[in-house]
Amino acid sequence: CPVAMSRFLCPSEVLLIMTKEAHAKHYEALEGELRQLGVQVRDVRIPVGATEGEMWRIFQQIADNVEPEDVVAFDITHAFRHLPLL
């Protein structure tokens, strides 16, 4: 889905926000496909979100990587449990 969205939306950059487990399993292939489209990829590792503190860390990591004037589209197709709500 992130590749299809990138073809449709033509972003200049994509943040791949992943847990370390998702990163180990999917990052290399996904990053390669996005770069073939000419998209800049930024890797943002997040904790699982098992505690309130981890959830706040995730929120802060996303906030730290988005500028006020950015246009944002979220792909939550394969998002982990409660993370789309966060």
Side-chain angles (χ1 to χ4, degrees):
C1 194
V3 175
M5 282 182 64
S6 293
R7 287 185 178 160
F8 180 73
L9 298 173
C10 303
S12 57
E13 181 179 49
V14 168
L15 299 179
L16 294 179
I17 303 169
M18 302 175 156
T19 63
K20 71 177 183 179
E21 295 82 10
H23 187 276
K25 194 171 187 178
H26 303 291
Y27 180 78
E28 190 175 316
L30 184 52
E31 188 262 352
E33 287 189 60
L34 291 168
R35 288 210 187 266
Q36 284 181 354
L37 296 175
V39 176
Q40 180 70 31
V41 176
R42 193 162 11 135
D43 180 21
V44 178
R45 298 280 177 89
I46 58 170
V48 174
T51 66
E52 182 180 350
E54 285 186 355
M55 286 186 260
W56 279 114
R57 271 191 25 227
I58 293 167
F59 179 85
Q60 191 61 55
Q61 285 174 281
I62 294 169
D64 289 345
N65 282 282
V66 177
E67 297 299 322
E69 301 299 319
D70 286 348
V71 175
V72 178
F74 288 99
D75 168 26
I76 59 170
T77 306
H78 302 288
F80 186 62
R81 296 185 195 143
H82 61 281
L83 293 181
L85 298 175
L86 179 63

